[in-house]
Amino acid sequence: MIRKAALGSAATLITGALSAGLLLAPPAAAATTRDNGVPEALGVQLAAARAARTGIEWKDCPADWGFAAPIQCGWVKVPLDYAKPFGKTIELALDRAVSTGTKEERQGALLYNPGGPGGSGMRFPRRVTTKSPLWVNTSKAYDFVGFDPRGVGHSAPISCIDPQEFVKAPKADPVPDTEADKSAQRKLAAEYADGCKERSGEMLPYMTTPNIARDLDVIRAALGEKKLNYLGVSYGTYLGGVYATLFPTHVRRMIVDSVVNPEQDNIWYQANLEQDVAFQKRWNDWQDWVAKNDASFHLGGTRAEVEAKWQQLRAQAKAKPLGGVAGPAELIGFFQGAPYYDSSWVPVATAFSAWAAGDEKPLIEATSPDMSDIAGNIASENGNAVYTAVECADAKWPTSWTKWDRDNSKLHEQYPFLTWSNAWMNLPCATWKSKQSRPIEVGAQRGLPPVLIVQSERDAATPYEGGVELHRRLAGSRLITEQNAGSHGVTSLVNPCINTRVDSYLLTGKVDAKDVTCGPHAAPVAPAPTAAKALAEAPASVFPAQEELPAAR
C-alpha cells in the first residue's frame, strides 16, 4: 500500500512535468519492462524533466582539467538511485566543442563513451579542436559532447585502494606456480573487494550499466535534445545496447563500435573467458607479424621463436624485475597493447627488440609507474575501481573458487597470454560486498531507428561474435565487418570503406540495404632496420599517444 501511494504521487508529478513540456522525448516503449521497473522508469522521466528545465550552464573548463577554450564544461545532476528520484543526487561532468558548420548544417549533439567500464569521454571534443581528419565532416553537423560516467573522473569518483599502492611495482607474476601463489592472489582480490566497500560503499549498488544508461537519457534532456545521437566503443557498445533497450524511441542515431556480446549469460564472467581466447589469437597475429619483420626486430623468424623470446623475457623479469620494477605483471600490462591496437605493434616490438639486443631501458620506461604523477595515478586507480564496480554490480558472479580455478586452469593450457591476469583482475567480484543484479535482456524491436554496428573480425577485447549477436537483437540494425583485421576501435582508424559509411549515417541517417564487409585498414609498417635501431634508442615520449583510442584496461 505504501509503495502504491508513493508511485501514485510520483506519477502525478511526472504527468505535470510532461504537460508542462519539460520532458523533450516521448516515453520509452520499454519503460516498464522487467528490466526497468516502474520506480526507475518514473524516476528517470522525472530526472530528465528536471534536467530539461535546468539545462547546462556551459563555462570555460577548470584549468586543471586540461581542456582549453573553445571547449566548454558543465554539469548535469542525476539521482544516485533512480527508484528514489527525490533522494541523494550526484553531478556528472560534461564538456563540448560546438559544431563548426552553419546553423542549417547543425543536427544536434553527439555523445561519446569510450568504454572501460571506467573510461572518460572528456577528450572526445578534442577531435573537433584538433581537426581530426576522420571527424571533420560530422563536426560540422554536431556538437561533440564528452562526459565522465558516474563514478569516473570528476563525476562522484569512486576508489577501492590508495592510488599510490595501486600503481606500485613490481606485482606478483599473474601466472601461478603453486597453490600458495593462487591463495595469495585470492587474498589480494578479497582485500580489494573489501576496500571498494569501505571507500565507496554508498555508490556501489548503483554503479550499473542500466543506471549509466539512465544518466545518458538525463544528459540528453539537459542538452535540449529530443533524441540521442551516440557513439559508443567497447563497453560503450553495451551501454548503447542497454540504452536502446530501455529508451528505443529516444534514439536518433547510434553507432556501436567493437561490440560486447550482450547475451545475459555472457555478462560478465563468460565475457572475460571469451576475451582470453581472442587475446591469444591476436597475440599470435602480432607474433607472426614480428617474425615476418625479423630484419627489423631480430626476435625470430617464426612465431615459435618470437614466443620463445617472450618466455625468456618473462623468466628473466620474474627472477629479477627489470630496473627493479618490471616483472611479468608489468610486462603483460605493456605487451597487451599489441593485441589491443595495431598502433602499438611497432612500439611494443621495438622495445622488445631493444631488450633482446641488451638494452632494457625502453621496456623499463614503458612499464615503470611514475610515483610523482599523483593525478595520473588517481585516474588509473579510479578507472580500475569503476571497471570492477560496474562489472561486479551488473551480474551475479560465481562465488565458488573451484569453478574459477577449473575454468582458468583449463583455458591457460591453450590460451596462456592473458588468462590468469584477467582472472585475478575480475576475482573481486567473487567476494563482492554489494548488490549484484541480473543483466538486462538487451533487444529492441519497435521504435528503434537503424543502429550502425562496426566490428573487426579478429578483435581481442570484444570478439566478433558480439557484433553479430547485437545485430540479431536490434531490429533494423546494419553490421559492417572489417575483414582480416583485429584492432580495437574501428571508427578511429583510416579505412574509407568504413569512414564514408560512418559519415553518411551520421549526416543522413541512411544505412546500406544490407550488411557490408570491408577490407582491412592498412597494416602496421615495420621500420627499416636502421630506423628500428634509432626508434629503440628514442625516449618513450615518441611513441604514439593513445588518447583517441577506446579505453583499455
Side-chain angles (χ1 to χ4, degrees):
M1 292 293 292
I2 294 174
R3 174 175 167 147
K4 286 184 179 178
L7 291 178
S9 299
T12 301
L13 285 168
I14 289 171
T15 301
L18 289 170
S19 65
L22 297 179
L23 186 62
L24 300 179
T32 57
T33 67
R34 60 189 173 85
D35 298 315
N36 188 27
V38 172
E40 289 83 3
L42 295 177
V44 70
Q45 289 186 55
L46 179 59
R50 282 194 305 232
R53 182 177 66 247
T54 304
I56 301 171
E57 185 179 0
W58 295 106
K59 297 180 177 180
D60 288 345
C61 300
D64 60 348
W65 287 18
F67 304 116
I71 294 175
Q72 300 172 305
C73 290
W75 301 90
V76 172
K77 190 175 292 187
V78 300
L80 176 62
D81 178 2
Y82 278 95
K84 299 177 181 178
F86 300 104
K88 181 179 175 61
T89 61
I90 57 175
E91 287 191 310
L92 306 180
L94 292 82
D95 65 347
R96 72 170 181 179
V98 298
S99 58
T100 61
T102 64
K103 182 179 179 181
E104 291 71 28
E105 289 177 302
R106 188 179 184 279
Q107 296 190 38
L110 176 64
L111 270 75
Y112 174 72
N113 181 274
S120 167
M122 298 285 279
R123 300 192 75 85
F124 182 56
R126 296 189 76 253
R127 297 188 186 185
V128 179
T129 59
T130 60
K131 297 181 172 59
S132 176
L134 293 182
W135 302 97
V136 167
N137 293 331
T138 51
S139 66
K140 292 178 182 178
Y142 293 96
D143 300 343
F144 277 29
V145 178
F147 70 104
D148 279 342
R150 60 171 55 204
V152 175
H154 307 292
S155 298
I158 67 169
S159 173
C160 293
I161 187 175
D162 177 78
Q164 296 298 94
E165 286 296 317
F166 176 75
V167 302
K168 191 178 292 185
K171 293 178 170 56
D173 185 351
V175 179
D177 292 324
T178 65
E179 290 300 315
D181 290 343
K182 293 179 182 178
S183 294
Q185 293 281 11
R186 291 175 64 190
K187 183 174 183 290
L188 289 173
E191 289 173 349
Y192 187 84
D194 291 343
C196 294
K197 179 69 172 178
E198 180 180 343
R199 296 169 74 99
S200 305
E202 183 183 25
M203 290 278 291
L204 297 186
Y206 312 107
M207 291 294 298
T208 66
T209 301
N211 275 334
I212 300 170
R214 295 176 185 117
D215 293 343
L216 199 57
D217 200 55
V218 176
I219 292 171
R220 170 201 59 76
L223 289 166
E225 300 290 336
K226 292 185 177 181
K227 296 195 175 187
L228 178 73
N229 303 297
Y230 176 76
L231 169 62
V233 186
S234 194
Y235 164 79
T237 67
Y238 184 59
L239 175 59
V242 170
Y243 184 90
T245 302
L246 298 180
F247 309 100
T249 60
H250 294 195
V251 176
R252 180 175 180 268
R253 308 271 161 80
M254 178 177 287
I255 299 178
V256 286
D257 170 4
S258 305
V259 180
V260 171
N261 186 335
E263 189 175 0
Q264 282 179 305
D265 291 342
N266 193 60
I267 305 297
W268 286 103
Y269 179 77
Q270 186 63 33
N272 281 282
L273 298 180
E274 297 293 338
Q275 206 177 55
D276 299 337
V277 176
F279 258 94
Q280 189 69 46
K281 292 178 180 178
R282 194 60 179 162
W283 172 251
N284 293 347
D285 289 348
W286 176 73
Q287 289 185 325
D288 287 338
W289 176 84
V290 171
K292 180 181 177 182
N293 291 282
D294 188 47
S296 294
F297 302 119
H298 310 292
L299 291 164
T302 67
R303 183 199 302 172
E305 291 174 345
V306 177
E307 175 66 18
K309 282 287 186 186
W310 163 245
Q311 293 301 333
Q312 180 186 344
L313 170 58
R314 281 191 91 266
Q316 177 182 320
K318 186 180 179 76
K320 184 180 179 182
L322 279 59
V325 292
E330 289 70 35
L331 291 173
I332 290 173
F334 173 64
F335 275 77
Q336 74 178 23
Y340 254 117
Y341 308 120
D342 288 6
S343 60
S344 292
W345 281 22
V346 170
V348 173
T350 301
F352 191 13
S353 176
W355 166 81
D359 181 8
E360 297 180 350
K361 185 179 178 181
L363 277 182
I364 293 170
E365 288 187 350
T367 58
S368 299
D370 181 357
M371 302 306 291
S372 67
D373 182 13
I374 304 299
N377 296 340
I378 289 172
S380 295
E381 190 277 327
N382 169 243
N384 194 79
V386 175
Y387 166 85
T388 308
V390 173
E391 295 213 353
C392 293
D394 267 355
K396 298 184 186 302
W397 287 69
T399 58
S400 165
W401 167 245
T402 300
K403 178 172 177 57
W404 284 78
D405 193 18
R406 181 181 65 244
D407 290 347
N408 287 281
S409 294
K410 183 178 180 180
L411 267 183
H412 178 77
E413 292 175 5
Q414 287 186 271
Y415 311 103
F417 175 69
L418 195 67
T419 295
W420 278 114
S421 177
N422 214 7
W424 304 130
M425 181 172 180
N426 292 288
L427 190 60
C429 295
T431 58
W432 198 239
K433 300 300 192 298
S434 188
K435 179 183 176 182
Q436 294 183 320
S437 306
R438 171 73 172 155
I440 191 170
E441 182 69 56
V442 169
Q445 302 298 320
R446 294 184 178 181
L448 183 70
V451 171
L452 190 62
I453 301 170
V454 187
Q455 182 75 38
S456 64
E457 278 190 322
R458 300 183 68 79
D459 190 328
T462 53
Y464 180 71
E465 292 74 19
V468 174
E469 181 64 22
L470 185 63
H471 180 34
R472 185 183 71 79
R473 289 168 177 260
L474 299 184
S477 61
R478 287 290 179 269
L479 173 63
I480 299 177
T481 299
E482 189 183 30
Q483 207 167 30
N484 300 318
S487 199
H488 191 58
V490 182
T491 53
S492 65
L493 304 172
V494 176
N495 187 332
C497 177
I498 295 171
N499 305 143
T500 56
R501 286 177 166 85
V502 167
D503 267 2
S504 176
Y505 173 75
L506 287 173
L507 295 174
T508 71
K510 295 179 180 179
V511 294
D512 289 273
K514 58 182 180 179
D515 295 340
V516 175
T517 298
C518 292
H521 61 275
V525 177
T530 53
K533 184 176 186 299
L535 186 59
E537 295 171 351
S541 59
V542 306
F543 293 159
Q546 302 288 308
E547 66 180 48
E548 292 299 325
L549 297 174
R553 294 178 294 151

Coordinates of all heavy atoms in Angstrom, one line a residue, residues 265-314:
D265 N 23.8 -14.4 -20.3 CA 24.8 -15.4 -19.7 C 26.2 -15.0 -20.0 O 27.1 -15.7 -19.5 CB 24.5 -16.8 -20.2 CG 23.1 -17.3 -19.7 OD1 22.6 -16.8 -18.7 OD2 22.6 -18.3 -20.3
N266 N 26.5 -14.0 -20.9 CA 27.8 -13.6 -21.2 C 28.3 -12.5 -20.3 O 29.5 -12.3 -20.2 CB 27.9 -13.2 -22.7 CG 29.3 -13.1 -23.2 OD1 30.0 -14.0 -23.2 ND2 29.7 -11.9 -23.6
I267 N 27.4 -11.8 -19.6 CA 27.8 -10.6 -18.8 C 28.0 -11.1 -17.4 O 27.1 -11.6 -16.7 CB 26.7 -9.6 -18.9 CG1 26.4 -9.2 -20.3 CG2 27.0 -8.4 -18.0 CD1 27.5 -8.5 -21.1
W268 N 29.2 -10.9 -16.8 CA 30.4 -10.6 -17.4 C 31.5 -11.7 -17.2 O 32.6 -11.6 -17.8 CB 31.0 -9.3 -16.7 CG 30.3 -8.1 -17.1 CD1 29.4 -7.4 -16.4 CD2 30.5 -7.3 -18.3 NE1 29.0 -6.2 -17.0 CE2 29.7 -6.2 -18.2 CE3 31.3 -7.5 -19.4 CZ2 29.6 -5.2 -19.2 CZ3 31.2 -6.6 -20.4 CH2 30.4 -5.4 -20.3
Y269 N 31.2 -12.7 -16.5 CA 32.1 -13.8 -16.2 C 32.5 -14.5 -17.5 O 33.7 -14.6 -17.8 CB 31.6 -14.8 -15.2 CG 32.5 -16.0 -14.9 CD1 33.6 -15.8 -14.1 CD2 32.3 -17.2 -15.5 CE1 34.4 -16.9 -13.8 CE2 33.2 -18.3 -15.2 CZ 34.2 -18.1 -14.3 OH 35.1 -19.2 -14.0
Q270 N 31.6 -14.9 -18.3 CA 31.8 -15.6 -19.5 C 32.5 -14.7 -20.5 O 33.4 -15.1 -21.3 CB 30.6 -16.2 -20.1 CG 30.8 -17.1 -21.4 CD 31.6 -18.3 -21.1 OE1 31.5 -18.9 -20.0 NE2 32.4 -18.8 -22.0
A271 N 32.2 -13.4 -20.6 CA 32.8 -12.5 -21.5 C 34.3 -12.4 -21.3 O 35.1 -12.3 -22.3 CB 32.2 -11.1 -21.3
N272 N 34.7 -12.5 -20.0 CA 36.2 -12.4 -19.8 C 36.9 -13.7 -20.2 O 38.0 -13.6 -20.6 CB 36.4 -12.1 -18.3 CG 36.2 -10.6 -18.0 OD1 37.1 -9.8 -18.3 ND2 35.0 -10.2 -17.5
L273 N 36.2 -14.8 -20.1 CA 36.8 -16.1 -20.5 C 36.9 -16.0 -22.1 O 38.0 -16.5 -22.6 CB 36.0 -17.3 -20.1 CG 35.8 -17.5 -18.6 CD1 34.9 -18.7 -18.3 CD2 37.2 -17.6 -17.9
E274 N 35.9 -15.5 -22.7 CA 36.0 -15.5 -24.2 C 37.1 -14.5 -24.6 O 37.7 -14.7 -25.7 CB 34.6 -15.0 -24.7 CG 33.4 -15.9 -24.5 CD 33.5 -17.2 -25.2 OE1 34.3 -17.3 -26.2 OE2 32.9 -18.2 -24.8
Q275 N 37.3 -13.5 -23.8 CA 38.3 -12.5 -24.1 C 39.7 -13.1 -24.1 O 40.6 -12.8 -24.9 CB 38.2 -11.4 -23.1 CG 38.8 -10.0 -23.5 CD 38.6 -9.0 -22.5 OE1 39.0 -9.2 -21.3 NE2 37.9 -7.9 -22.8
D276 N 39.9 -14.1 -23.2 CA 41.2 -14.7 -23.1 C 41.5 -15.5 -24.4 O 42.7 -15.5 -24.8 CB 41.2 -15.7 -21.9 CG 41.0 -15.0 -20.6 OD1 41.2 -13.8 -20.5 OD2 40.5 -15.7 -19.6
V277 N 40.5 -16.1 -24.9 CA 40.7 -16.9 -26.2 C 41.1 -15.9 -27.3 O 42.0 -16.1 -28.1 CB 39.5 -17.7 -26.5 CG1 39.6 -18.4 -27.9 CG2 39.2 -18.7 -25.4
A278 N 40.3 -14.8 -27.4 CA 40.5 -13.9 -28.5 C 41.8 -13.1 -28.4 O 42.5 -12.8 -29.4 CB 39.4 -12.8 -28.5
F279 N 42.3 -12.8 -27.2 CA 43.6 -12.2 -27.0 C 44.7 -13.1 -27.4 O 45.7 -12.6 -28.0 CB 43.8 -11.8 -25.5 CG 43.5 -10.3 -25.3 CD1 42.3 -9.9 -24.8 CD2 44.5 -9.4 -25.5 CE1 42.1 -8.5 -24.6 CE2 44.3 -8.0 -25.2 CZ 43.1 -7.6 -24.8
Q280 N 44.6 -14.4 -27.2 CA 45.7 -15.3 -27.6 C 45.8 -15.3 -29.1 O 46.9 -15.3 -29.7 CB 45.4 -16.7 -27.1 CG 46.5 -17.6 -27.3 CD 47.8 -17.3 -26.5 OE1 47.6 -17.1 -25.3 NE2 48.9 -17.3 -27.1
K281 N 44.6 -15.3 -29.8 CA 44.6 -15.3 -31.3 C 45.3 -14.1 -31.8 O 46.1 -14.1 -32.8 CB 43.2 -15.5 -31.8 CG 42.6 -16.8 -31.5 CD 41.1 -16.9 -32.0 CE 40.5 -18.2 -31.7 NZ 39.1 -18.3 -32.2
R282 N 44.9 -12.9 -31.2 CA 45.5 -11.7 -31.7 C 47.0 -11.5 -31.3 O 47.8 -10.9 -32.1 CB 44.7 -10.5 -31.2 CG 45.0 -9.2 -32.0 CD 44.7 -9.3 -33.4 NE 44.9 -8.0 -34.2 CZ 45.1 -7.9 -35.5 NH1 45.0 -9.0 -36.2 NH2 45.3 -6.8 -36.1
W283 N 47.4 -12.1 -30.2 CA 48.8 -12.1 -29.8 C 49.5 -12.9 -30.8 O 50.6 -12.5 -31.2 CB 48.9 -12.8 -28.4 CG 50.2 -13.1 -27.9 CD1 50.7 -14.3 -27.7 CD2 51.2 -12.2 -27.4 NE1 52.0 -14.3 -27.2 CE2 52.3 -12.9 -27.0 CE3 51.3 -10.8 -27.3 CZ2 53.5 -12.4 -26.4 CZ3 52.4 -10.2 -26.8 CH2 53.5 -11.0 -26.3
N284 N 49.0 -14.0 -31.3 CA 49.6 -14.9 -32.3 C 49.7 -14.1 -33.6 O 50.8 -14.2 -34.3 CB 48.8 -16.1 -32.6 CG 48.8 -17.1 -31.4 OD1 49.6 -16.9 -30.4 ND2 47.9 -18.0 -31.4
D285 N 48.7 -13.3 -34.0 CA 48.8 -12.4 -35.2 C 50.0 -11.5 -35.1 O 50.7 -11.3 -36.0 CB 47.5 -11.6 -35.3 CG 46.3 -12.4 -35.7 OD1 46.5 -13.6 -36.1 OD2 45.2 -11.9 -35.7
W286 N 50.2 -10.9 -33.9 CA 51.3 -9.9 -33.7 C 52.6 -10.7 -33.8 O 53.5 -10.2 -34.5 CB 51.1 -9.2 -32.4 CG 52.3 -8.3 -32.1 CD1 52.5 -7.1 -32.6 CD2 53.3 -8.5 -31.1 NE1 53.7 -6.5 -32.1 CE2 54.2 -7.4 -31.2 CE3 53.6 -9.6 -30.2 CZ2 55.3 -7.3 -30.4 CZ3 54.7 -9.5 -29.4 CH2 55.6 -8.3 -29.5
Q287 N 52.7 -11.8 -33.2 CA 54.0 -12.6 -33.3 C 54.3 -13.0 -34.7 O 55.5 -12.9 -35.1 CB 53.9 -13.8 -32.4 CG 53.9 -13.5 -30.9 CD 53.9 -14.7 -30.1 OE1 53.3 -15.8 -30.4 NE2 54.6 -14.7 -28.9
D288 N 53.3 -13.3 -35.5 CA 53.5 -13.6 -36.9 C 54.1 -12.4 -37.6 O 55.0 -12.5 -38.5 CB 52.2 -14.1 -37.6 CG 51.8 -15.5 -37.1 OD1 52.6 -16.3 -36.7 OD2 50.6 -15.8 -37.3
W289 N 53.5 -11.3 -37.3 CA 54.0 -10.0 -38.0 C 55.4 -9.7 -37.6 O 56.2 -9.3 -38.4 CB 53.0 -8.9 -37.6 CG 53.4 -7.5 -38.1 CD1 53.2 -7.0 -39.3 CD2 54.1 -6.5 -37.4 NE1 53.7 -5.7 -39.4 CE2 54.3 -5.4 -38.2 CE3 54.7 -6.5 -36.1 CZ2 54.9 -4.2 -37.9 CZ3 55.3 -5.3 -35.7 CH2 55.4 -4.2 -36.6
V290 N 55.7 -9.9 -36.3 CA 57.1 -9.6 -35.8 C 58.1 -10.6 -36.5 O 59.1 -10.2 -36.9 CB 57.1 -9.8 -34.3 CG1 58.6 -9.8 -33.8 CG2 56.4 -8.7 -33.6
A291 N 57.7 -11.8 -36.6 CA 58.5 -12.8 -37.3 C 58.7 -12.5 -38.8 O 59.8 -12.6 -39.3 CB 57.9 -14.2 -37.2
K292 N 57.7 -12.0 -39.4 CA 57.8 -11.6 -40.8 C 58.7 -10.4 -41.0 O 59.4 -10.3 -42.0 CB 56.4 -11.2 -41.3 CG 56.3 -10.8 -42.8 CD 54.9 -10.4 -43.1 CE 54.8 -9.9 -44.6 NZ 53.4 -9.5 -44.9
N293 N 58.9 -9.6 -39.9 CA 59.7 -8.5 -40.0 C 61.0 -8.7 -39.1 O 61.5 -7.7 -38.5 CB 59.0 -7.2 -39.5 CG 57.9 -6.8 -40.5 OD1 58.2 -6.2 -41.6 ND2 56.6 -7.1 -40.2
D294 N 61.5 -9.9 -39.2 CA 62.7 -10.2 -38.4 C 63.9 -9.3 -38.7 O 64.8 -9.1 -37.9 CB 63.0 -11.7 -38.5 CG 64.1 -12.1 -37.5 OD1 64.0 -11.7 -36.3 OD2 65.1 -12.8 -38.0
A295 N 64.0 -8.9 -40.0 CA 65.1 -8.0 -40.4 C 65.1 -6.7 -39.6 O 66.1 -6.1 -39.3 CB 65.0 -7.7 -41.9
S296 N 63.9 -6.3 -39.1 CA 63.8 -5.0 -38.3 C 64.0 -5.3 -36.8 O 64.6 -4.5 -36.1 CB 62.5 -4.3 -38.6 OG 62.4 -3.9 -39.9
F297 N 63.4 -6.4 -36.3 CA 63.3 -6.6 -34.9 C 64.2 -7.7 -34.3 O 64.5 -7.7 -33.1 CB 61.9 -6.9 -34.5 CG 60.9 -5.9 -34.9 CD1 59.9 -6.1 -35.8 CD2 61.0 -4.6 -34.4 CE1 59.0 -5.1 -36.2 CE2 60.1 -3.6 -34.8 CZ 59.1 -3.9 -35.7
H298 N 64.7 -8.6 -35.2 CA 65.6 -9.6 -34.7 C 65.2 -10.4 -33.5 O 65.9 -10.7 -32.5 CB 67.0 -9.0 -34.4 CG 67.5 -8.1 -35.5 ND1 67.9 -8.6 -36.8 CD2 67.7 -6.8 -35.6 CE1 68.3 -7.6 -37.5 NE2 68.1 -6.5 -36.8
L299 N 63.9 -10.8 -33.5 CA 63.3 -11.6 -32.4 C 62.9 -13.0 -32.8 O 62.4 -13.7 -32.0 CB 62.0 -10.8 -31.9 CG 62.3 -9.5 -31.2 CD1 61.0 -8.7 -31.1 CD2 62.9 -9.8 -29.8
G300 N 63.3 -13.4 -34.1 CA 63.0 -14.7 -34.6 C 62.2 -14.7 -35.8 O 61.4 -13.8 -36.1
G301 N 62.4 -15.6 -36.7 CA 61.8 -15.7 -38.0 C 60.5 -16.5 -38.0 O 59.8 -16.6 -39.1
T302 N 60.1 -17.1 -36.9 CA 58.8 -17.8 -36.8 C 58.1 -17.4 -35.5 O 58.7 -16.8 -34.6 CB 59.1 -19.3 -36.7 OG1 59.7 -19.6 -35.5 CG2 59.9 -19.8 -37.9
R303 N 56.8 -17.7 -35.5 CA 56.0 -17.4 -34.3 C 56.6 -18.1 -33.1 O 56.7 -17.5 -32.0 CB 54.6 -17.7 -34.4 CG 53.7 -17.4 -33.2 CD 52.4 -18.1 -33.2 NE 51.6 -17.9 -34.4 CZ 50.5 -18.6 -34.7 NH1 50.1 -19.5 -33.8 NH2 49.8 -18.4 -35.7
A304 N 57.0 -19.3 -33.2 CA 57.6 -20.1 -32.1 C 58.8 -19.4 -31.6 O 59.1 -19.4 -30.3 CB 57.9 -21.5 -32.6
E305 N 59.7 -18.9 -32.4 CA 60.9 -18.2 -32.0 C 60.6 -16.9 -31.2 O 61.2 -16.6 -30.2 CB 61.8 -18.0 -33.2 CG 62.4 -19.2 -33.8 CD 63.2 -19.0 -35.1 OE1 63.1 -17.9 -35.6 OE2 63.9 -19.9 -35.5
V306 N 59.6 -16.2 -31.7 CA 59.2 -15.0 -31.0 C 58.6 -15.3 -29.7 O 58.9 -14.7 -28.7 CB 58.2 -14.2 -31.9 CG1 57.8 -12.9 -31.1 CG2 58.8 -13.7 -33.2
E307 N 57.8 -16.3 -29.6 CA 57.2 -16.8 -28.3 C 58.3 -17.2 -27.4 O 58.2 -16.9 -26.2 CB 56.2 -17.9 -28.6 CG 55.6 -18.5 -27.3 CD 54.7 -17.6 -26.5 OE1 54.3 -16.6 -27.1 OE2 54.5 -17.9 -25.3
A308 N 59.3 -17.9 -27.9 CA 60.4 -18.3 -27.0 C 61.2 -17.1 -26.4 O 61.5 -17.1 -25.2 CB 61.4 -19.2 -27.8
K309 N 61.3 -16.0 -27.2 CA 61.9 -14.8 -26.7 C 61.0 -14.2 -25.6 O 61.5 -13.7 -24.6 CB 62.1 -13.8 -27.8 CG 63.3 -14.1 -28.7 CD 64.6 -13.7 -28.0 CE 65.8 -13.9 -29.0 NZ 67.1 -13.7 -28.3
W310 N 59.7 -14.2 -25.8 CA 58.8 -13.7 -24.8 C 58.9 -14.5 -23.5 O 59.0 -13.9 -22.4 CB 57.4 -13.7 -25.4 CG 56.3 -13.6 -24.3 CD1 55.4 -14.5 -24.0 CD2 56.0 -12.5 -23.5 NE1 54.5 -14.1 -23.0 CE2 54.9 -12.8 -22.7 CE3 56.6 -11.2 -23.4 CZ2 54.3 -11.9 -21.8 CZ3 56.0 -10.3 -22.5 CH2 54.9 -10.7 -21.7
Q311 N 59.0 -15.8 -23.6 CA 59.1 -16.6 -22.4 C 60.4 -16.4 -21.7 O 60.5 -16.4 -20.5 CB 58.9 -18.1 -22.8 CG 57.5 -18.5 -23.2 CD 56.5 -18.2 -22.2 OE1 56.7 -18.2 -21.0 NE2 55.2 -17.9 -22.7
Q312 N 61.5 -16.1 -22.5 CA 62.8 -15.8 -22.0 C 62.7 -14.5 -21.2 O 63.3 -14.3 -20.1 CB 63.8 -15.7 -23.1 CG 65.2 -15.4 -22.6 CD 66.2 -15.1 -23.8 OE1 65.9 -15.5 -24.9 NE2 67.3 -14.5 -23.5
L313 N 62.0 -13.5 -21.8 CA 61.9 -12.2 -21.1 C 61.1 -12.3 -19.8 O 61.5 -11.8 -18.8 CB 61.2 -11.2 -22.1 CG 60.7 -9.9 -21.5 CD1 61.9 -9.1 -20.9 CD2 60.0 -9.0 -22.5
R314 N 60.0 -13.1 -19.9 CA 59.2 -13.3 -18.7 C 60.0 -13.9 -17.6 O 59.9 -13.6 -16.4 CB 58.0 -14.2 -19.0 CG 56.8 -13.5 -19.7 CD 55.6 -14.5 -19.7 NE 54.8 -14.2 -18.5 CZ 54.8 -14.9 -17.4 NH1 55.7 -15.9 -17.2 NH2 54.0 -14.6 -16.4

